[in-house]
Amino acid sequence: MNGQPILTLDKISKSFGPVQVIDEVTVSVHPGKVQVLLGENGAGKSTLIKMMAGVYQPDGGRILLDGKPVKFRDTNASEAAGIATIHQELNLVPTMSVAENIMMGRFPKRFGMVDRAALRKQARAALDLIGLDIDPDQPVGELGIARQQLVEIAKALSLDARMLILDEPTAALTRREIAALFSVVHDLRERGVGMVFISHHLDEIAEVGDSVSVLRDGKFVAEVPADTPEPELVRLMVGRDISQQFPRRREYTGPSEPLLHVEGLSIKGLVNNMSFTVHAGEVVGLAGLVGAGRTEVVRAVAGVDPYDSGSVTIRGRRIPRHNIGAGIKAGLGHVPEDRKVQGLVLDASVNENIGYATLASTAKAGLVDFKGQREKAQDVAGKLRIRMSGLDQTVRSLSGGNQQKAVFGRWIAAGAKVLLLDEPTRGVDVGAKVEIYELINSVTAAGGAVLMVSSELPEVLGMSDRILVMSGGHLSGELAAEDATQDKVMTLAVRDVVRDLEDKS
Amino acid sequence: MTTAVKAEKRQHMDIKKFLANNGALVGLLVLCLALFIATPDFLTAGNMLNIGIQASTIAVLAFGMTFVIVAAGIDLSVGSVAALSAMVSASMFTTAGLNGWVALLGGLLTGAAAGAASGMATAYGRLPSFIATLAMLSVARGLTLVISDGRPVRTADQVSFLGGNLGPIPMPIVVLVVAGLVASFLLNRTVIGRYMYAVGGNTEAARLSGIPVQKVLVIVFALSGLFAGLAGMLLSGRLDSAQPQAAVGYELDAIAAVVIGGASLAGGVGRISGTLVGALVLVVIRNGLNLLNVSSFWQQVVIGLVIALAVGIDVLRRKNTIH
């Protein structure tokens, strides 16, 4: 590549205790280029960028800044060298203004007081760097996540950053917001800023990247151009061909009894008269746009939120409204939308997280059956192939896919027959996705029923036997797997939106 | 590497790990050693029993507080609730003329009821526990003054026995040990105890796993109240009378003991053994400074610094063992 790189990690290694997380990896970031880091969760991407940012110090190898060896003692040192990281969790104070956030820690002062005019002017200049037209006096919390991210980028640039690390910047953005972000990335590239880009969406790589470094299990696998075909990227990343992205198998041969029946479910202003049935051995996909009411239906069925009218019947038993425990007793398991906030006690062990739903039912006289719980957790963790150092490892330190498997494991351990899955593969890498699909297969093969909410249409189409499409809070249509297409689903999904627009005009 | 060397290394690691996980215990031992060297009055049977008696009230309050802090709450009312329990018990015996056993039981149940009330305000009324128990702090103290009209009331013999001696051993120490074992058993062995850790670690995840979070919270605060009631029995039993201004400010000692013992105010972390060590650290410092004739004004300064130091060390330790 042309010119000298801004930063080079040269044969760098890092271990935590006995675990070698990064093993002699070499990556360079060039001015005006976007270097993509690709790898499954746990491949070492985060550790690598944390070494670039000075959070971790390498055990072996060298870091070269403009060709000269350096040591980043802490994040201040790397920032001083012009390296800024835009994290997934943004470092902004929501209640303070855009200008105050951009100038945080270096407010212009006049007679010992904050010089408001200068503050606004300097912030404006920073926003202009990326052509972001927002009011500097607006509180950051009032902006959408996409704009907050851009504010953070503006802040980094105003600190003279010449290298940006973008850690999954597109994970929480809509299509349009992603396009806006990418145009900023293109501008920055023109201006010679070097960038590191991490994403789980392979289709973004060709669009935004120049070169791709692929990591697997902490080792460098290959560096390929960004326009490398997706299947080849997957092969490099996973280390094998994934012949089938959605390996749906229908192996259940028993009677197709209705396990979950929902009748006339309504929540004022959110869900309107939803009725549907999920049978033994069946995967029913619940599709629709964000805000169509899919998660609300799942949460109401699981007893997490109350509903206004209707009924939920599981395996012939009518479940009282807003009662999570009753659903679980009847054989329900709920894998919620956000595993970190709703699914897991992050600082508790894998063992404990798998056991929460069965702690009471296996107890004798109020005493925990530690031995039985542990054996069951071991068994489930083995079946689900949760990669961990042991059952006592805290869930926080597992990769996303393995965390998600731990949430599944709780319901497998509880012997759940009806699984409600809300975005089951969000933030999970390709390899672990397939493992989760296989898990769904084995649940239905054993006569279980699955209701799956997903915003990824290919996943809904690939894994469902039937697809229910929601629009504006009610069921707008049902499609059988064999004649469902993305177009048909989308037509149903926007039906009410279109109707609303027609009503208004 | 030979197996012997490996084994030795592993042992070395275990010791290091033990020390890292029991910083408060190490601190307590160092403190005792220093006092042993500084004054001959420290390590005497009489002084040790004295420390035990002094620690009993704080430790019993702090055991109850451990449940609350593990469940990510806080209970500011334990001092007032201890005073109210003692006063109700003493009044049942002296004013109402009830049986001494009934009076003892009544005192304990008063504590549990006051705690349950705070718990319900937190669980069902959605008040932050800080606010709910701040209210209870005032209500319980007020009721204590109302019942007693501001005057001390004589306790039942059964309550006074808890403040007395069993042969050579002071009863408060016996109560301390039994209460500690019960609390530890509840927290570690029972379903409700494990639920406390889950609720404190992540309330929403606990709820979605089918854990009855609201019931758990009511039980947690009721237990804290029950232990406060027991502490009230110890305090009043020692003086043979319930004092309307007893245990003012004790909630801060209890919280300090739990936090020095390694619990996190963010919830999900905490052990009864740690809390006991925390309570002993507070009492040994006070005792030692008394023996060394340090003024009680300075003692408060020292205690404050020790709390900051203990938690500061803990924060550093956690930061260094992220992985």
Side-chain angles (χ1 to χ4, degrees), chain A residues 341-342 344 352 366 368 370 410, chain B residues 188-189 191 194 202 205 209:
Chain A
V341 176
Q342 303 163 331
L344 296 163
E352 288 188 274
V368 177
F370 283 105
R410 179 182 304 151
Chain B
N188 294 318
R189 297 275 148 192
V191 172
R194 302 319 294 170
N202 185 344
S209 306

